[in-house]
Amino acid sequence: MNDSVMMAELTWPEFKARVDEGAVVFLPLGATEQHGPHMALNVDVVLPTGVCERVARNVGGLVAPCVPYGYKSQPRSGGGEAFPGTISLDANTFSLVVRDVVRGLGHKGVRKLVLVIGHFENAWPAVEGLDLGLRELRRDGISDVQAMRLEYWDFVRRATLDRLFPDGFPGTELEHASLLETSLMLLLRPDLVDMAKVPDDGPAKFPTFDRWPVPEGFVPASGVLARAEKATAEKGEWLMADHVALITEAVKAEFKL
Amino acid sequence: MNDSVMMAELTWPEFKARVDEGAVVFLPLGATEQHGPHMALNVDVVLPTGVCERVARNVGGLVAPCVPYGYKSQPRSGGGEAFPGTISLDANTFSLVVRDVVRGLGHKGVRKLVLVIGHFENAWPAVEGLDLGLRELRRDGISDVQAMRLEYWDFVRRATLDRLFPDGFPGTELEHASLLETSLMLLLRPDLVDMAKVPDDGPAKFPTFDRWPVPEGFVPASGVLARAEKATAEKGEWLMADHVALITEAVKAEFKL
Amino acid sequence: MNDSVMMAELTWPEFKARVDEGAVVFLPLGATEQHGPHMALNVDVVLPTGVCERVARNVGGLVAPCVPYGYKSQPRSGGGEAFPGTISLDANTFSLVVRDVVRGLGHKGVRKLVLVIGHFENAWPAVEGLDLGLRELRRDGISDVQAMRLEYWDFVRRATLDRLFPDGFPGTELEHASLLETSLMLLLRPDLVDMAKVPDDGPAKFPTFDRWPVPEGFVPASGVLARAEKATAEKGEWLMADHVALITEAVKAEFKL
Amino acid sequence: MNDSVMMAELTWPEFKARVDEGAVVFLPLGATEQHGPHMALNVDVVLPTGVCERVARNVGGLVAPCVPYGYKSQPRSGGGEAFPGTISLDANTFSLVVRDVVRGLGHKGVRKLVLVIGHFENAWPAVEGLDLGLRELRRDGISDVQAMRLEYWDFVRRATLDRLFPDGFPGTELEHASLLETSLMLLLRPDLVDMAKVPDDGPAKFPTFDRWPVPEGFVPASGVLARAEKATAEKGEWLMADHVALITEAVKAEFKL
Amino acid sequence: MNDSVMMAELTWPEFKARVDEGAVVFLPLGATEQHGPHMALNVDVVLPTGVCERVARNVGGLVAPCVPYGYKSQPRSGGGEAFPGTISLDANTFSLVVRDVVRGLGHKGVRKLVLVIGHFENAWPAVEGLDLGLRELRRDGISDVQAMRLEYWDFVRRATLDRLFPDGFPGTELEHASLLETSLMLLLRPDLVDMAKVPDDGPAKFPTFDRWPVPEGFVPASGVLARAEKATAEKGEWLMADHVALITEAVKAEFKL
Amino acid sequence: MNDSVMMAELTWPEFKARVDEGAVVFLPLGATEQHGPHMALNVDVVLPTGVCERVARNVGGLVAPCVPYGYKSQPRSGGGEAFPGTISLDANTFSLVVRDVVRGLGHKGVRKLVLVIGHFENAWPAVEGLDLGLRELRRDGISDVQAMRLEYWDFVRRATLDRLFPDGFPGTELEHASLLETSLMLLLRPDLVDMAKVPDDGPAKFPTFDRWPVPEGFVPASGVLARAEKATAEKGEWLMADHVALITEAVKAEFKL
């Protein structure tokens, strides 16, 4: 039997067998978004998919196809919509996609579902999509779906952050295209990282508000919000180890696996 | 410089450079849908992406990330929504995704766009999404986007069909998960095909109407609508050669490349 | 008692009595669309309504009011939106109309429903509207509605096509405003046909793709996609006889009348 | 040349010629709604279409196809949604239909438009649809469309009402399926009226509020809100004469014809 | 215990206790709309909230927060959207707000609900919102919500109108920003009325149709549709007494309190 | 002249005069949400409105009516939708309200706009609503609107937090109905706070993920996420002073006042 955890790589009888056994389904929610001059546009697809794949292996789960277009990039967390290559969905569109996929999975017998945010801006429209999907499922007579929603980067040990940022962790929002994401990409897709192109125009200094239109110079010209030059694949391994171990633990605990 | 044609694998400055040069962008529109007991659920993602990649190389184009969830599978063309593993979007959701991606590409300077249908049922909601996207672009002052929309399987020579179907071609609709798709998968992702599991309960005999609810036995239990047992990677090569050559030719002619 | 099969011509107690008896309701889905310089804009209303009326008489059914505005005309099947007189709905609008009418009929006790496509482009948004309507009905506790969806022109015998096209049938898509539709209009509303104005700029030669914007000369200037000059009312009778007989037969078989 | 004022009965070149000459287009907005045990469900289609046709002849205008499904019937003005045969649209659906038709007419060159309400409940969603349609047209660069929106029954002389209701006019809302509508139907479609079935359970006595769910006995069981037994075709002629004369006058004045 | 009838001023346990006791909830639906040069933009918030508060005290009910943005002002009833300060919602937006609030209240146990229109134009989108909310509640298994919808100004005795308008009552529509509303504001918020600025350019003389674009001079330049100079707080008291007494009586009768 | 900064308390000529002078408009976005057993449901309306009013006075601005229903309360930031009294809007509904109000203000000449979040969960749908509103305004030819979006609680000096939380600040998310909000309410509406009812079941200990359905005990039964017993009006004054001073400063700087 096919032992892939990628749902897309199963035949339908294989998918059915896994779901009948109670497989947890992970839905990574990504984006096509600038990640600096040194990384490809698919960082927010590669990373959550990679995390999901490893956790799914740990818990006998499946990874549904990653949604590759996300909610609009915001200047303070992703550089904003003005960058070339950032192609985004309206919030309603994104939420409807999540709603429909959640509804579809529920109709196919999935009862344990984990939405894994791979793009900061997806968090809220994903909440709404999940809420709408579960609401529709209840109206269709399916009321026993259990779900989690998480950002993978929140699953990291304090000690790891201390090793990674000896001078103090600047916080996840500024980490766009910076040390954490770059390290994980060096681990998973080093062919899509060019460390020679890591910029040095960060870190961004953002005010405590959003601004329309985005003022000249509000965002570093490179699109990198903090600093990435110290990224290494080894650091990516530290991070990935934490993400996978802690998410695995949480999923097992919540779903009593 | 990165020579990938996959947009997702470019950095934003690379994407910008290609678009500034006038690159054609191909948007494959796929699905997560049963394709018989012998093929994975991602056939409608793998095949149009594979075609797009080859054509993009021929014309100096780019391939945008494939939309991996499609419009609802219909019994007479894809077996229908009842099969395990088929996870689909409402028509409005799908059209809004296409609208938003088209609008986003247009705002980023793309002026030559090709929507490549990889899942029969996507054809119409893709038309609507493209129409809505172009309408919004015009309202945003961008009225010079040129677009094509095509089903890749329509680009095949008569002679090739005759070689493939010495007893006569049954038509594209019945070809779901059958000889054509299986041959192309054997070419592109043989690891996702198990010829030992090709069923023999087809071909389907459909009436000239749709039916709700879908009657017992309306669709072959395997989900394969015609016959797949004669599929080979070589036949996949014949098909791919036609698809790539003819689409390349059409794109060059239409966009005067 | 009023013996009209047109639902709109019944009083509400008459409608109720018919539905209580289990009447099949036919919903024709039309358009207001150019049909060449020789026919009126209402061809796609007159023809499906005429077919429905005759079939309804055969099966003790009713014909709901035809939706007179359809989904957007496409260049390769209806000449496209650029023609004067073609007034169309967005896909979502059209699907919502179908959804609401289906839901309304279901709430009024209709349990056998046939959607009859009178305009090629309506086919897919009608599928979606029907799917949405049945979904809502199930959520309202009504899960025993049976439905069919069909294009009336698919119900024709091979022998009839051979009589009509001694040189070979070019296929239904090109038949827009051509021999078939013109013959049927000559049968039903000869006052709305002027054979002296039948153009001779067809048949269209379409590529296997759609194109935005529609290139100059893509569509015959007349809006007639094939040829109409050999249309006669007698041929319309042959066609109507087939449409009515075969649809009657299918409806009786499916709904066990 | 075809001298019909019904847009649906014109060829596209005829439609174009009329619009090029500046024809006013009338869009009747109807319903499929119970009108008592003595009249057919299509009263709200027949009457506004009949009025539009006559006014269009007076002003060289055209009548677009009547929208045959209206906004939900309300108990105090149409008996409510509970009656058999009343099949209605959600407000948003109805407004989108109006929006799309208005937008389509504007794109085809129509610059003088009259929405004629034939069903009381359509008034507000028609306002919204017209507003949305004109807003979209402005965004498409078309800002010179002039429009009127009217209920045809408001165009009646005081003297006529006095003749019709020697004991005092009860007001238009209660007139559902009553003397006015019945008289006009006797004029236009006497075959769809059965005066022998005129009920005598009215007039309704409504409170000054709406009530959900509709209480038992809130609406006369017949669905006739006032009294219809004195309806005659002659009275229908008086009414029609007023409607046509006064609307013609208003349209000519507003559009400076 | 907190004895406020304003729901917003209760803690959640207090709200729960009231709802558990069967409290009627009143939802005022207001607007931010011009009301002449002599009154503030919040007339349609202040008045229905004031009426609701008094009725709620009479019946042991609660007043939910007033929706302060209403459906688009119409020239013939509110002066229209062109006036400074009039900020309105699309019909669909307004109906969705009502739907969501109704659904939320139903989910929280409210079973007796009164929508109180404080802005003429809200009437219809409120009907739709209530209908959609109740539909969703039924799909969520809650089918015993009872509701009323009313315009507070309809609850006035004939004798009071005769006292107020010795020369005859011109009808509620023209009363925008005129004697009735001004008198009630003088009663409730005299600080927001400046009788010295009451204009004398009314009353408006409206035709029996709407007109787009609104012609020059169609609406009095002041935005006051009738006359307000005779408004007094005492007259406001007469009106308020009627509104409160008659609505109280109706609510008690309908909900059997 | 009326010197209120509350837009709703101005007449339309007063509103126009202020806008003509370039007034900044503040739009508070609130909620009707449980805030523990010791505070009323309107905390998220009272606080942002109070902040806006003071800032508006500083900058010659106006405060638009607060939207009193917010996006769905989340367990980890507001206790969640299960609490009595929490009445929320779907994300799309909330965004459409913001879109329509932003569009309306833009059409009325407002060119400097500040959205002030008073309810954590509103932040993202407000971003979307603002983005949609500005997009529509651009399509309407208005492209010079400048906007800010902020959460008022982010505008506080480090020193103030240190005074308020000598043992360390737990972060804004947990502050729901806790020391900060309670102190501000004691300042602005002490009548709506009952310190005797401050619960002691917090602080909540939340995991780094969301969970559906919300597990038993996930949220403190009181709905207070941290601790409120040390709240005082004096602390509310410290906070308010910071909020007003820092927001005033930011607004002046951004809009060059």
Side-chain angles (χ1 to χ4, degrees), chain F residues 23-39:
Chain F
V24 180
V25 173
F26 296 83
L27 175 62
L29 297 168
T32 297
E33 188 193 25
Q34 74 84 12
H35 275 76
H38 66 297
M39 285 200 293

Side-chain angles (χ1 to χ4, degrees), chain B residues 71-72 74 90-91 124 127-128 130-131 134-135 146-149 155 208-212 254, chain C residues 71-72 74 90-91 121 124 127-128 130-131 134-135 146-149 155 208-212 254:
Chain B
Y71 178 58
K72 292 166 196 161
Q74 297 300 310
D90 283 354
W124 284 91
V127 165
E128 180 65 359
L130 179 52
D131 190 69
L134 295 174
R135 181 198 283 174
Q146 298 199 69
M148 299 171 69
R149 191 203 61 79
F155 290 75
T208 47
F209 51 81
D210 295 326
R211 192 69 172 78
W212 282 261
E254 290 302 311
Chain C
Y71 178 58
K72 292 165 196 162
Q74 298 300 311
D90 282 355
E121 290 84 349
W124 283 90
V127 165
E128 180 66 359
L130 179 52
D131 191 70
L134 294 175
R135 180 197 284 174
Q146 298 199 69
M148 300 171 69
R149 191 203 60 79
F155 291 74
T208 49
F209 52 82
D210 295 326
R211 192 70 173 78
W212 282 260
E254 290 302 311

Side-chain angles (χ1 to χ4, degrees), chain C residues 147-168:
Chain C
M148 300 171 69
R149 191 203 60 79
L150 57 87
E151 285 97 349
Y152 73 80
W153 50 79
D154 285 336
F155 291 74
V156 59
R157 292 177 227 272
R158 186 72 239 169
T160 308
L161 286 176
D162 290 345
R163 275 170 90 190
L164 290 164
F165 298 97
D167 303 329

Side-chain angles (χ1 to χ4, degrees), chain A residues 102-111 136-137 140 142, chain C residues 139:
Chain A
V102 167
R103 186 183 60 211
L105 291 169
H107 281 163
K108 295 302 151 75
V110 175
R111 290 296 174 271
E136 294 210 9
L137 283 168
D140 294 337
I142 297 171
Chain C
R139 290 178 182 167

Side-chain angles (χ1 to χ4, degrees), chain D residues 14-257:
Chain D
E14 289 165 346
F15 172 81
K16 182 175 188 306
R18 300 273 185 98
V19 171
D20 286 352
E21 293 160 17
V24 180
V25 172
F26 296 82
L27 175 62
L29 297 168
T32 297
E33 188 193 26
Q34 73 85 13
H35 275 78
H38 66 297
M39 285 200 292
L41 300 171
N42 64 1
V43 169
D44 289 354
V45 168
V46 169
L47 301 192
T49 304
V51 170
C52 285
E53 193 177 356
R54 283 155 182 79
V55 179
R57 265 195 227 114
N58 285 350
V59 301
L62 290 176
V63 184
C66 182
V67 175
Y69 296 100
Y71 178 59
K72 293 165 195 162
S73 179
Q74 298 300 310
R76 294 197 283 160
S77 47
E81 284 293 297
F83 277 89
T86 299
I87 302 292
S88 307
L89 305 180
D90 282 354
N92 188 46
T93 304
F94 186 84
S95 294
L96 293 181
V97 170
V98 173
R99 179 198 70 178
D100 290 3
V101 174
V102 167
R103 185 183 60 212
L105 291 169
H107 281 163
K108 295 301 152 74
V110 175
R111 290 296 174 271
K112 302 186 196 89
L113 182 62
V114 185
L115 269 62
V116 176
I117 304 298
H119 168 70
F120 182 77
E121 290 85 348
N122 286 352
W124 284 91
V127 165
E128 179 66 359
L130 179 53
D131 190 69
L132 297 177
L134 295 175
R135 180 198 284 173
E136 294 209 10
L137 284 168
R138 284 193 301 270
R139 290 177 183 167
D140 294 337
I142 297 170
S143 57
D144 58 342
V145 175
Q146 298 199 69
M148 299 170 70
R149 191 203 60 79
L150 57 88
E151 286 97 348
Y152 72 80
W153 51 78
D154 284 338
F155 290 75
V156 58
R157 290 176 228 272
R158 186 71 240 170
T160 308
L161 285 176
D162 290 344
R163 276 170 89 189
L164 290 165
F165 298 96
D167 304 329
F169 177 46
T172 48
E173 283 197 20
L174 272 195
E175 269 304 305
H176 183 79
S178 301
L179 188 136
L180 300 180
E181 292 192 324
T182 306
S183 294
L184 283 164
M185 279 297 280
L186 284 169
L187 175 69
L188 294 185
R189 290 293 303 272
D191 58 312
L192 298 180
V193 187
D194 182 349
M195 289 302 290
K197 293 205 176 130
V198 168
D200 59 1
D201 57 352
K205 290 212 173 59
F206 290 122
T208 49
F209 51 83
D210 295 326
R211 192 69 174 76
W212 281 260
V214 181
E216 186 85 21
F218 193 85
V219 172
S222 68
V224 176
L225 301 191
R227 304 290 298 195
E229 73 271 14
K230 296 192 181 160
T232 65
E234 190 193 17
K235 291 176 181 171
E237 266 179 39
W238 303 346
L239 281 163
M240 182 59 83
D242 271 19
H243 297 334
V244 173
L246 297 178
I247 297 175
T248 296
E249 184 181 4
V251 168
K252 284 186 171 174
E254 290 302 310
F255 294 153
K256 305 191 195 316
L257 302 177

Side-chain angles (χ1 to χ4, degrees), chain E residues 11-12 21 59 85 107-108 136 138 162 196 204 220 228 239 250:
Chain E
T11 65
W12 71 257
E21 293 160 16
V59 302
H107 281 163
K108 295 300 152 75
E136 293 209 9
R138 285 192 302 271
D162 290 345
L239 282 163

Side-chain angles (χ1 to χ4, degrees), chain A residues 169-250:
Chain A
F169 178 45
T172 47
E173 284 199 18
L174 272 195
E175 269 303 305
H176 183 80
S178 302
L179 188 137
L180 300 181
E181 292 191 323
T182 306
S183 295
L184 284 165
M185 280 298 280
L186 284 169
L187 176 68
L188 295 185
R189 290 292 304 271
D191 58 310
L192 299 181
V193 187
D194 182 348
M195 289 302 291
K197 292 204 176 130
V198 169
D200 60 0
D201 57 351
K205 290 210 176 59
F206 289 122
T208 49
F209 52 82
D210 295 327
R211 192 68 174 78
W212 280 261
V214 181
E216 184 87 19
F218 193 85
V219 172
S222 68
V224 176
L225 301 191
R227 303 290 297 196
E229 71 272 16
K230 294 190 184 162
T232 65
E234 190 191 19
K235 290 176 182 171
E237 268 180 36
W238 304 344
L239 281 164
M240 183 59 82
D242 271 20
H243 297 335
V244 173
L246 297 178
I247 297 175
T248 296
E249 185 182 1

